[in-house]
């Protein structure tokens, strides 16, 4: 049983990574037999992994039918960001307030700010091709920020809800950074959030968080409506436009 559980976890982590990075495109079929052959696993751990990913919203799973990677729709993205707007800026404000009362809370945020500024210095010195290859390092910094906010948030319900949305938000990250210009803009937005938290300014942290989400949403809309991504991807543009009018 332990071996099966370990295999299921390995399959889950691999599929989740492929979905979040868009190596598995929205709408792609997830055949238990084919995936089992590719990953060297029996159908049971593959099925368990698919069901787990379905609970996280990354897979559309209908019993008796072939599972698919969950579609990305503009309407769904807009709904997700409307919800995130209610949660994440408030969490950032909560952390800033906690940091003002306890310096220990600020330690990871100071470290992230320093790391972000070093990354920016090196990033600006690269040519366009090298900048694209360095995206992963930036993702690691931003993921570190998100996880630090979750860990430091004093409202456990708020922190848990944000954490539960991470699977969906990570997948969209790769679409929101469509080029070096957006990368630098996002970097500036994260620096503003970090500085506000380090300074213990709850109002500024909340405003910076809301601004970042608004800019990210617009970048996603631009990316999702671009022809390069739309070809072969499962995006419901007609439904989504109703939400954007």
């Amino acid at each position: 049983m332990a071996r099966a559980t370990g295999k299921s976890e390995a399959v889950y982590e691999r599929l989740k990574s492929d979905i979040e990075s868009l190596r598995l495109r929205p709408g792609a079929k997830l055949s238990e037999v084919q995936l089992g052959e590719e990953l060297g696993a029996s159908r049971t751990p593959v099925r368990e992994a698919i069901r787990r990913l379905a609970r996280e919203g990354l897979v559309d799973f209908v019993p008796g039918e072939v599972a698919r990677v969950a579609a990305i729709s503009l309407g769904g993205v807009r709904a997700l960001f409307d919800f995130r707007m209610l949660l994440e800026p408030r969490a950032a404000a909560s952390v800033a307030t906690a940091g003002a009362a306890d310096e220990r809370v600020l330690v990871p945020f100071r470290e992230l700010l320093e790391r972000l500024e070093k990354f920016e210095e090196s990033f600006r010195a690269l040519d366009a091709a090298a900048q694209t290859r360095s995206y992963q390092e930036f993702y690691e910094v931003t993921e570190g920020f998100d996880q630090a906010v979750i860990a430091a948030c004093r409202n456990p319900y708020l922190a848990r809800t944000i954490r539960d949305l991470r699977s969906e938000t990570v997948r969209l990250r790769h679409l929101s950074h469509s080029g070096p210009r957006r990368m630098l803009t996002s970097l500036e937005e994260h620096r503003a959030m970090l500085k506000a938290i380090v300074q213990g300014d709850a109002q500024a942290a909340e405003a910076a968080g809301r601004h970042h989400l608004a800019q990210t949403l617009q970048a996603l809309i631009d990316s999702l409506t671009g022809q390069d991504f739309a070809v072969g991807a499962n995006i419901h543009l007609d439904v989504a436009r109703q939400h954007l009018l």
Side-chain angles (χ1 to χ4, degrees), residues 98-119:
D102 184 353
E103 284 283 320
R104 292 172 297 180
V105 173
L106 302 179
V107 172
F109 297 96
R110 290 195 176 107
E111 292 175 351
L112 284 165
L113 180 58
E114 181 179 354
R115 184 178 175 187
L116 188 71
E117 290 176 340
K118 288 181 178 178
F119 171 80

Side-chain angles (χ1 to χ4, degrees), residues 3 5 10 12 29 32 36 47 50 60-61 65 69 90 94 96 103 117 135 166 168 179 203 205 222 234 244:
R3 180 178 299 176
T5 300
Y12 162 78
K29 293 182 179 181
E32 292 178 7
R47 186 181 302 117
I50 288 175
D60 292 330
F61 177 75
E65 298 182 11
V69 176
R90 187 72 204 109
S94 170
E103 284 283 320
E117 290 176 340
Y135 280 17
R166 292 302 301 156
E168 294 184 62
Q203 185 175 357
D222 293 342
N234 192 0
L244 298 173

